[in-house]
Structures are given as C-alpha cells and as structure tokens.
Amino acid sequence: MSSKPSVLDPVRVRIRRFQFVVGLGFLAQVIGSVLSVALAYRLTQRVQDLPEGLRLAIGVPLQNLWVLAVLPLLCYGAARIIELKPLSTAIGGVLSGQVFILALNFAWGGLEGLWPGPAVFVLQLSALAAGVLLSYRAVLKGRATAAQGAAKAQAQADARKVEYQEFLREAELGAEKAAQREAERAAAASAGNSPPSAAPAAPASEAPSPESSGETKASTPH
C-alpha cells in the first residue's frame, strides 16, 4: 500500500536540491583550485615580465577557473541527469564556492584578506557574473540534451515495439499457414487410407417364360 504524500515533501525536495547545489559549488571550487595552482606554477615565470594590468587580467581568470570552467561543466553534467532550475543552480553554485573562498581568506588573513583591492574586486565580480551566466547556459543546454536523449530513446522504443508487433503478426500468420497445411495433409492421408467402396450388384436375370420353355422342348428331337 503506497503511503500518502506528506505536506513536508516539497520542503524536503528543496532542502535536498539546496544541498546538491552547495555541494556542486564546493566541488567546483576544489577542482578549480587544483587546476589553478597547477597552471599558475607553470605560468609564473612567463607572467612576471608582463605589466601589472596584464598580470591582473591573466591572474584573476586563472584564480577563478573554478567558476569560469569547472562549475559550468559540472552544471551541464548534472542537468543531464537531474532536473535542475537554471538560475537558482547557477547562483547557488557560485555563491557557495565564493563563500568557501572568503572563509579561507578570512582564516588566513583576517579582515584584510577579504579586500583584495578595488581593481581586483571589480575583476572578481566580473568573473563571478560571467560564471553565473555560463553556469545558467550550461544547465539549459544540459536539460535540452537530456530532453533530446529521452525523445530519441522513446522513438527507439516505439520503433522496437512496432517491429515486435510485426514479428508477432508474421509469426501468427506462419503458424496459421502451418496448421492449415497440416490439416490438408491429414485429410489427404485419411482419404488415401480408406477402403474402396463395393461395386453395385448386377441385376438378376429374368426367369424363362413357359412359352419359351415349351418351344425349347418341342424343338428338341426325340
């Protein structure tokens, strides 16, 4: 017996979705940080000779690789499996990852670690806004791809169903024809094994009349 839906079911669904979005942002931040450190280690010597403006233009996107590349990819993959809301997923993922970064900066540098400077702050906000837009579009694209995949799977299932019905129809026709041939063979065999019918009896010869018998006797010599 199925249980009745509870009033708290929508709230539970929202809580689970919120937890999933927060975990998505945290995972994107962790993976992006690893990639950023690896790329920064390789580009450090090449970037040192560049002007400060170019270094900021390269360094800020490199530091925000998690929100510009990793989070949109995760949103796209998740949207293909789970039905997500595009805007809330994008904003929630970006905010959760950024809150984690701010918590780390506060733990390392206190209040001074929360303010990197006006130029870096503007570039940081621009990167976050771009990340929200990219994640939003990634969720939309993921849902569209999932819908196309579901439609394709449904079309294939319908085609297989039609083929199966045709196969059953042909099998039934074949069985009917085989049964008909067997019946014809049985009828022919029974007709060949039956005994031939007796020939009709010949009519009895008529008895000789007295006149003909008398004439016969008269014609006989004594």
Side-chain angles (χ1 to χ4, degrees), residues 35-50 55 58-59 62:
L35 295 177
S36 297
V37 171
L39 291 176
Y41 179 76
R42 294 184 178 183
L43 297 176
T44 300
Q45 296 180 355
R46 299 179 181 179
V47 176
Q48 287 180 355
D49 298 334
L50 296 177
R55 281 186 293 176
I58 296 174
L62 189 61

Side-chain angles (χ1 to χ4, degrees), residues 5-215:
S6 175
V7 182
L8 299 177
D9 286 344
V11 179
R12 294 173 181 173
V13 171
R14 292 181 181 179
I15 292 175
R16 292 174 183 174
R17 186 175 297 171
F18 174 76
Q19 293 174 348
F20 180 79
V21 172
V22 171
L24 204 65
F26 176 76
L27 181 62
Q29 202 281 326
V30 172
I31 298 175
S33 298
V34 174
L35 295 177
S36 297
V37 171
L39 291 176
Y41 179 76
R42 294 184 178 183
L43 297 176
T44 300
Q45 296 180 355
R46 299 179 181 179
V47 176
Q48 287 180 355
D49 298 334
L50 296 177
E52 185 178 358
L54 290 178
R55 281 186 293 176
L56 286 177
I58 296 174
V60 172
L62 189 61
Q63 292 177 358
N64 293 277
L65 191 63
W66 69 273
V67 73
L68 296 175
V70 179
L71 184 60
L73 290 177
L74 293 179
C75 289
Y76 174 77
R80 293 191 61 178
I81 303 173
I82 305 173
E83 185 177 357
L84 299 175
K85 295 182 178 180
L87 187 59
S88 60
T89 302
I91 296 177
V94 171
L95 288 179
S96 60
Q98 186 62 28
V99 167
F100 180 73
I101 293 176
L102 292 177
L104 291 179
N105 292 336
F106 179 76
W108 289 340
L111 294 176
E112 295 180 357
L114 299 178
W115 178 250
V120 178
F121 180 75
V122 172
L123 292 175
Q124 185 76 24
L125 287 181
S126 301
L128 294 178
V132 170
L133 179 61
L134 292 175
S135 300
Y136 175 81
R137 297 184 63 180
V139 173
L140 290 179
K141 189 174 182 180
R143 292 182 61 181
T145 305
Q148 292 177 359
K152 185 177 180 180
Q154 184 64 30
Q156 292 178 353
D158 294 339
R160 291 178 181 176
K161 184 177 180 180
V162 172
E163 292 178 358
Y164 182 70
Q165 290 178 353
E166 292 179 356
F167 174 76
L168 288 180
R169 191 180 300 110
E170 292 178 358
E172 290 177 357
L173 292 176
E176 291 178 358
K177 291 180 180 179
Q180 186 177 2
R181 287 195 297 267
E182 291 294 333
E184 292 177 356
R185 291 177 183 176
S190 61
N193 294 331
S194 61
S197 58
S205 58
E206 297 180 357
S209 61
E211 295 179 356
S212 61
S213 61
E215 292 177 355

